[in-house]
Amino acid sequence: MNGVVAALYAFFVEKLPYITIAVFFVGVAVRLRRWLSAPRDPEGPPFNILTALKYVILDLVLFRKTFKSDRWTWVVLVLFHVGVGGILFGHMRGFHLWTAEMFAPLGDWVAEFLVHTLPVYMGWMFLATQVVLLFRRGSLENRQLVSLPNDYVALVLLLVTSVLGQGMRVFPPEAVPPEVYSVVFIPGLIVLHLEKVPSHHWFFLHVLFTQLLVMYIPFSKLVHVVSGVVTSALYGSRRREYGV
Amino acid sequence: MGSEVDGSRAREALGRFTRRQVLELDTCAHCALCSESCPAYAESGDPNHAPGVRSSRAVRLFNKHFDLRARLFGPRRISEAEVSELADSAFHCTLCGRCMEVCPFGLQTHELWSRVREVVGELGGTPPTVGMLGGMLEESQNPYGLEPDMRLDWADYTDLDEVPEREEAEVAYFVGCTTAFKGVNHEVAFSVASILNRLGEDWTLLGEDEWCCGSPHLLSGDEEGARVFAEHNVAALESRGVRRVITGCAGCFRVFKWEYPRLLGRVPDFEVVHAVEYLREKLASGELDVEPAGERVSYHDPCELSRLGGVVDAPREALGYLAGDFVELPEHGVDVRCCGGGGLLQATDNEMRLAIARVRLEQALELGVEVLTSACPACKLAFVDGVRAFDMDIEVLDLMELAARQLGLL
């Protein structure tokens, strides 16, 4: 690895995380300001937490409405979101939020499958569903939808990040150290613990694109992860008020 | 380069999107899951009429004044062509709210599209045929531009014996403009009035004091106009000591029940019920005794009564007494497919309205329906126009007309 690349890779790990966090929170502030500076709505139907939960679970977790209107898209959406959840959960192990030993009571084979085999398949599935969703968007473009640039930017960023992440599993690691290998992003706060030293290029580019994605989230359509919960809960309250 | 919209005017107009609506515009993933369910898009196949495209166009204009780039470097220009494009999208919509029903995020599109119409109106994009409504409403207090003293002509045409116009009454029958002024609906008014007379209700009409409910204002994006009309109607009803307002119009019902409290900032001092709810009540209590009709009957849910009004079971329960052979249409209840009669579509694209009505009529004919009922004068009008335009063999009746017929009143 030449000096420039090494310096760049060091920057991705040692400095960029601070910029990422700053941009992310500035983005959140900008987004909140955009919403809060709009005029208040007239008083709506009374908010009911149980109704809100019901609609969030049915419509956002189970995608009830998509199931009714388009079964194939429902299958892809469910697999895509399961992939998101699985991958986020998997990454938490690297940050010591859970350990492989937790699955030991299930037996060696199950633990091995859950910790090492399943994530590989989930990665492929996640990639495949992204390609399908990207293809779907492209095929409906100017027929049933008109995308904004950020619809594509978010999808492409996610896809590149995922390809790089999956590449780390596919390409052979640099080394298997005797002890856990730690990557310190922010000392004492964000430290990644790895069993293997991954292929450097794939790893550092994955780190870069992950951070670009995190920075982009508040400015992108991915805010629907949060705002969708609010709109779904408000829709539920309205339905409850109408008694339907 | 085409003409541009004045910047400060654009900022003021786009600034009308409320917090929830900006959140909704930002949440819309432009996934197009709503397209196939939209009756307007289904008929035209024009991407500009798809709800998700409307959302894209609206947020694109909004961003020109309110995104980070606009805040840092100043707003970007909006061309008249962009406004026309959005106007074409906004007014090729029946405001039936079906896109809300299929939207994974539950975006409340009925209100969002009304707001888009308001914004488009302020940017000078309202179609002339819709723009004329404002003048007619102001002059005649109805969207048809007819003299207010013609409001009770239906009673003359139908030979209704008792036409009460009282200073005080327990119940008021709010007829609604499309029932009062459209000949095809006069017997709907006659039916409601006859049933009230049969039951010996202490009831009244408002006569010339009845103004449009304000629905056309809201559909064209004029919330302030709707507020003025709401204030008038509520004052007219409250001054008569009315405790219960009955209307046979789904649009009037929705506006009275769900929009008036919002427009006025208070709940009016009377209960609002749709005529079919009243009918169900009287049939269930045994105060009305009917012979069920022998024909195969079906019921089309008016969007403003079911999905946007919350009345789904009452008409079916009433039909349990009125129809011996009732069949349910596909796409019913809160998931109803619009008849084409809503959203002022008649004023902007009558061909599309008729094409949408045709789909619904064909659904009924496929089930062997002989009498297609509904509970909205705009639905009846759309279906009657559709039957005439496409020479179809099906009788279209309001549910109240079917009830009056089975009671021997019509």
Side-chain angles (χ1 to χ4, degrees), chain B residues 147-161:
Chain B
E147 290 301 321
D149 62 5
M150 292 170 70
R151 229 175 230 287
L152 290 182
D153 281 3
W154 62 268
D156 292 336
Y157 296 146
T158 55
D159 290 330
L160 183 71
D161 296 332

Side-chain angles (χ1 to χ4, degrees), chain A residues 120-141:
Chain A
V120 178
Y121 289 109
M122 199 160 269
W124 288 123
M125 182 186 80
F126 187 49
L127 277 177
T129 54
Q130 285 179 73
V131 171
V132 172
L133 289 175
L134 196 57
F135 178 76
R136 179 184 179 274
R137 180 170 290 282
S139 67
L140 294 178
E141 196 67 63

